[in-house]
Amino acid sequence: RSQADGGLEKGIVEKGSVAESDEEEEKVLDVNLVALQMAIEKNVAAAERDRLEGERSQLELQSKAEEMEDRIEFLENQVEEQKAAAAAQQAQVEAELQKGEGERSVLQTEI
């Protein structure tokens, strides 16, 4: 915006310093009008650029958040799979232990 204001200041010609006739005054007003229009266009373009950059940043953040959510879900699934595998292994160990206890009991009975 400061660039647009600087351009505006450069583009505006003081009415009294240059204008000697109505025709020259009209030219000065035309120059001033063009300078104002250019300054407005620069401000509008800068505002649009800022808005688009904000949207892009928001989309990048949203994308990163979605990636993190996917990663968390993946890790949670891995934890659940590992828990299930550990539970299955524990059940197998307990079954082996009971089988061993049963065999020991039979051997003690035979002795």
Side-chain angles (χ1 to χ4, degrees):
R1 183 176 176 148
S2 60
Q3 289 176 334
D5 291 342
L8 179 62
E9 289 172 9
K10 291 177 186 174
I12 293 181
V13 179
E14 292 286 331
K15 181 165 79 166
S17 66
V18 175
E20 294 179 8
S21 69
D22 286 342
E23 186 176 302
E24 287 181 12
E25 187 173 332
E26 189 173 317
K27 286 180 185 178
V28 168
L29 292 174
D30 286 344
V31 168
N32 290 346
L33 178 61
V34 169
L36 284 170
Q37 288 172 335
M38 288 175 60
I40 290 169
E41 288 173 6
K42 284 182 182 180
N43 284 336
V44 167
E48 180 66 9
R49 183 192 70 235
D50 291 345
R51 183 187 68 78
L52 290 173
E53 286 176 0
E55 282 183 17
R56 186 188 75 218
S57 295
Q58 183 66 27
L59 289 173
E60 287 173 356
L61 288 173
Q62 186 177 4
S63 176
K64 285 181 182 180
E66 289 172 357
E67 288 174 13
M68 291 180 82
E69 287 176 7
D70 290 346
R71 180 74 178 149
I72 289 169
E73 185 177 340
F74 171 77
L75 292 173
E76 287 174 342
N77 288 339
Q78 276 193 324
V79 167
E80 291 301 317
E81 288 173 8
Q82 289 174 357
K83 282 181 181 178
Q89 190 174 16
Q90 183 177 357
Q92 183 180 3
V93 167
E94 288 176 2
E96 295 275 332
L97 184 61
Q98 286 180 355
K99 180 180 174 188
E101 289 290 326
E103 289 176 0
R104 187 173 106 188
S105 178
V106 168
L107 288 175
Q108 282 181 345
T109 307
E110 290 177 5
I111 294 178

